[in-house]
Amino acid sequence: MLDPMIKLMRRFWKYLTASGNVKFNEKADPKIQLEQAISEAQQNHRTLTEQAANVIAQQKQTELRLNRSMEQLERLNGNARQAILMAEEASKAGDTTKAEEYTRAAETIANQLITVEAEVEELRSMALTSTQASDQAKAAVSQNGMLLQRKLAEKQQLLSQLEQAKMQEQMNTAMTSLSATVGDDVPTLNEVRDKIEQRYAKAKGMSELQGTSVEGRMLEVEQASQNTQAQARLSQLKAELGLGASDTASTSAAPTPSELTGEAAPSPEPATEPAPTSQPPPGTS
């Protein structure tokens, strides 16, 4: 019973972790995340460089030890030859004591030679392995350095794309606010335009109806009658002042029906002339 509960708690914890990561990635600033990724890549490159430096240092130390061992081997070889020669000379001279001493010294040197030769072989193997590891470390650092430079260049490109995306999002938001319905309290530009056009069209329609209706014609007749009365009163005043009978007669004349309606009077047709009669030519009876 305990094991299923533990599995359930682990699954639930993983679910919470994954959900938290998703929400964090949605809210996180891409620019900051990009900086974090580049910083991590730079840190990895520094760590790799330090590791490669340690490998190269081991290779250099192995080479130094190998060189010292080879120098020691060469010196021991020389001492062993010299001891053998000196033992041979002492034996020829009849000095058996020195001959034995030189012989024992040569044997001791020979034992040292065996030890140093084994050390040299081991160091040669270690030097070969460390050299290969050093070359691999150098190649890894070089390759990782190229990848880091590529990431740095890609970082600039991504930052530029991020700025373009932000600008495009702002433009999309502005365009959406102009076309979408904002709410009852804040009408959109389309709603205001439709309302104004509706009122304008209604006003134009009422104006046209008033111009062609009977009430409109009656209003025109009433205005014309008022104008006629005003002209008659003006003519009377001019007559009292003795400003001219012709002017008074012309101004006191009543308006014609065409003047009342505002229409132009028809122009009179021209009189037709009689056709000329044909006369006989002179000299004929």
Side-chain angles (χ1 to χ4, degrees):
M1 184 62 181
L2 186 59
D3 190 29
M5 289 297 297
I6 294 175
K7 290 183 178 179
L8 180 61
M9 292 299 295
R10 288 178 178 176
R11 291 178 60 185
F12 182 67
W13 175 253
K14 290 181 179 180
Y15 174 81
L16 290 179
T17 304
S19 177
N21 290 334
V22 171
K23 292 181 180 179
F24 175 77
N25 290 329
E26 290 177 355
K27 299 296 183 180
D29 189 357
K31 187 175 182 179
I32 297 177
Q33 288 183 318
L34 184 60
E35 291 292 343
Q36 291 176 344
I38 294 299
S39 298
E40 184 177 1
Q42 290 175 341
Q43 181 62 36
N44 292 336
H45 183 69
R46 285 193 292 268
T47 302
L48 181 62
T49 303
E50 291 177 359
Q51 293 176 352
N54 293 331
V55 172
I56 296 173
Q58 291 179 359
Q59 184 251 343
K60 296 298 183 181
Q61 290 177 355
T62 303
E63 288 181 352
L64 292 174
R65 290 178 59 188
L66 178 61
N67 293 332
R68 287 197 302 269
S69 297
M70 292 182 67
E71 290 176 358
Q72 185 180 4
L73 180 63
E74 184 178 359
R75 185 173 61 254
L76 289 174
N77 280 323
N79 292 338
R81 292 190 184 95
Q82 185 66 29
I84 292 171
L85 292 175
M86 292 176 70
E88 185 67 22
E89 290 177 358
S91 178
K92 289 180 180 180
D95 192 350
T96 57
T97 303
K98 287 186 176 181
E100 291 177 358
E101 290 177 355
Y102 289 141
T103 301
R104 286 195 297 269
E107 291 175 356
T108 302
I109 294 173
N111 289 330
Q112 293 177 356
L113 279 174
I114 295 173
T115 303
V116 174
E117 285 177 353
E119 183 180 355
V120 168
E121 292 298 326
E122 183 179 0
L123 289 174
R124 283 178 178 175
S125 178
M126 291 177 59
L128 180 61
T129 303
S130 61
T131 301
Q132 294 177 353
S134 177
D135 293 339
Q136 292 177 356
K138 291 178 181 179
V141 171
S142 178
Q143 184 178 3
N144 193 72
M146 293 176 61
L147 292 176
L148 181 59
Q149 294 297 326
R150 191 177 304 171
K151 288 181 179 180
L152 291 174
E154 188 177 1
K155 170 191 171 183
Q156 299 299 327
Q157 182 179 1
L158 290 175
L159 288 176
S160 178
Q161 291 179 355
L162 179 60
E163 294 299 328
Q164 293 178 4
K166 289 181 179 179
M167 182 183 66
Q168 188 64 43
E169 289 173 355
Q170 293 177 356
M171 291 179 62
N172 294 338
T173 303
M175 295 301 296
T176 303
S177 63
L178 291 176
S179 59
T181 301
V182 179
D184 297 335
D185 297 335
V186 184
T188 62
L189 181 62
N190 293 334
E191 292 175 349
V192 175
R193 182 178 62 248
D194 294 340
K195 186 176 181 180
I196 294 174
E197 290 180 351
Q198 182 180 3
R199 291 184 60 181
Y200 176 75
K202 185 176 181 180
K204 290 290 291 182
M206 292 297 296
S207 177
E208 293 180 1
L209 289 175
Q210 290 178 0
T212 57
S213 63
V214 177
E215 289 80 2
R217 295 302 184 182
M218 292 177 64
L219 181 61
E220 291 180 1
V221 172
E222 184 177 356
Q223 290 178 352
S225 177
Q226 291 179 358
N227 292 334
T228 301
Q229 293 177 4
Q231 291 293 334
R233 182 61 177 168
L234 182 62
S235 299
Q236 182 180 359
L237 292 174
K238 287 183 178 181
E240 293 177 357
L241 295 174
L243 295 179
S246 59
D247 295 339
T248 304
S250 61
T251 56
S252 62
T256 62
S258 60
E259 293 177 352
L260 291 175
T261 58
E263 298 177 355
S267 59
E269 296 182 357
T272 58
E273 297 180 356
T277 57
S278 61
Q279 295 180 0
T284 61
S285 58

